[in-house]
Amino acid sequence: MTTLASPVSSPAAARPRSLKKPGHVFPVTVVVIAIVAIWYVGAFFLNGQLARDAFARQKVEPTISQLAEATFSMERPLLPAPHQVATELWKSTTGYAINSKRSLVYHGWVTLSATLAGFVIGTALGLLLAIGIVHVASLDKSLMPWVVASQTIPIVAIAPMIVVVGYNLMNGQLGLSTDTSRFLAKAMISTYLSFFPVTVGMVKGLRSPDPMHLDLMRTYSATSWQAFWKLRFPASLPYLFTSMQIAIAISLVGAIVGELPTGASAGLGARLLAGSYYGQTVQIWAALLAASILAAVLVAIVGFANRIVLKRMGMAR
């Protein structure tokens, strides 16, 4: 007589398989490879005519490999190849002293200092405006529309006015040095761009607590300050950090834009201007890539602080 085997042969087989969360490395790698491939194709086609003209002047009929090599190694291409930008970025960051004006580390620090100053001021201003809008009904009706309307003006149009007026005011009437005046003028642009996402995010966050929780605080005879500090502000922290991630990135953009109308000799914006004046497209793209990396690092730092704060508060996902 045969016996039927049990469908569960072992305790391990009875346990369900744990579902692994999909990783981020593979999707990001695929996207990066696709971008680099499209970049190389674009460089080949955009620089191809320049390479053909160079071969025509030498009365040489190039092969495909020769044409590709020429398009990827031009000194002043229309679109630099990725390896050219990477080489220039590496040389500009490691090949010079950090206090040299040819070093991207030096230019990056000049831009970063104005970025952080504008970000701190903009975040503080955004917090104050959000608290006033939430707690004062007249400010909600009168100030909030102006906050939104302030961002409808293109920054490229308003930046020269703010920078030039602020620079002349601080350098001429207040007697500040040229470098200090340029620094504060750039910080003003970063402040102008960064206060808006913080204001809007914090208004949303401060209004996020459930009305029943607010009523419960009132039944405990809590003051407005106690309700703010113990309920509204903790509930708004996820909104605050999300807004700060947007603000820190846009502050960097503001600092770079603020360097353009002042004719600054230092900063990533000045590096872009110098590259455009002399047709150094590889230098321009290296500065753009450096700005992108710097923005990604700043956003990652704010995100890391977000995870630490929410974990300490028991709100980590």
Side-chain angles (χ1 to χ4, degrees):
M1 173 182 272
T2 59
T3 59
L4 295 175
S6 174
V8 180
S9 57
S10 64
R15 293 195 297 266
R17 293 182 179 180
S18 59
L19 298 177
K20 295 183 178 180
K21 295 182 178 180
H24 299 285
V25 177
F26 180 73
V28 172
T29 304
V30 171
V31 172
V32 170
I33 293 175
I35 292 175
V36 172
I38 295 173
W39 191 345
Y40 269 111
V41 173
F44 178 79
F45 283 103
L46 288 177
N47 303 328
Q49 188 58 47
L50 296 177
R52 293 188 187 93
D53 293 341
F55 281 113
R57 287 191 294 267
Q58 300 173 3
K59 298 182 180 180
V60 175
E61 186 64 29
T63 61
I64 296 297
S65 60
Q66 291 175 330
L67 185 62
E69 182 180 357
T71 56
F72 296 150
S73 60
M74 300 180 68
E75 183 179 355
R76 295 183 179 181
L78 292 177
L79 177 62
H83 69 273
Q84 290 180 293
V85 178
T87 302
E88 175 65 22
L89 181 62
W90 177 259
K91 183 180 71 173
S92 300
T93 53
T94 62
Y96 306 101
I98 59 174
N99 59 349
S100 171
K101 290 190 176 182
R102 302 186 66 181
S103 172
L104 273 179
V105 178
Y106 169 75
H107 291 286
W109 168 248
V110 172
T111 302
L112 178 63
S113 58
T115 299
L116 295 178
F119 170 71
V120 171
I121 299 173
T123 300
L125 178 61
L127 284 171
L128 293 176
L129 290 176
I131 294 172
I133 289 172
V134 170
H135 289 86
V136 181
S138 59
L139 290 180
D140 185 15
K141 297 179 180 179
S142 61
L143 186 59
M144 193 61 180
W146 287 105
V147 171
V148 176
S150 67
Q151 303 301 306
T152 61
I153 304 174
I155 186 60
V156 178
I158 197 174
M161 293 186 291
I162 295 178
V163 171
V164 172
V165 172
Y167 173 79
N168 292 331
L169 175 64
M170 290 178 287
N171 183 252
Q173 300 185 13
L174 299 182
L176 299 179
S177 64
T178 301
D179 292 338
T180 304
S181 299
R182 286 177 175 172
F183 170 79
L184 294 177
K186 292 187 294 183
M188 289 171 60
I189 299 296
S190 296
T191 301
Y192 172 79
L193 291 178
S194 62
F195 89 95
F196 176 74
V198 176
T199 302
V200 175
M202 279 301 292
V203 168
K204 179 69 174 177
L206 293 174
R207 289 174 174 170
S208 63
D210 193 285
M212 294 182 62
H213 296 164
L214 294 172
D215 292 338
L216 182 62
M217 295 292 291
R218 296 188 187 97
T219 59
Y220 291 155
S221 301
T223 62
S224 299
W225 170 252
Q226 291 174 328
F228 167 80
W229 191 247
K230 295 181 181 296
L231 178 60
R232 290 186 183 273
F233 186 72
S236 67
L237 284 180
Y239 299 86
L240 173 61
F241 279 103
T242 301
S243 302
M244 288 171 62
Q245 286 181 304
I246 300 173
I248 192 68
I250 203 170
S251 292
L252 180 63
V253 176
I256 294 175
V257 173
E259 291 169 349
L260 302 181
T262 59
S265 60
L268 295 177
R271 189 76 170 175
L272 294 174
L273 278 179
S276 63
Y277 287 157
Y278 299 103
Q280 299 290 340
T281 53
V282 180
Q283 175 181 312
I284 294 174
W285 280 81
L288 288 174
L289 185 59
S292 301
I293 294 173
L294 182 58
V297 171
L298 293 175
V299 172
I301 292 174
V302 176
F304 181 71
N306 179 27
R307 289 192 294 272
I308 292 178
V309 171
L310 295 185
K311 184 177 180 180
R312 293 292 299 271
M313 296 178 62
M315 299 171 61
R317 290 175 293 182

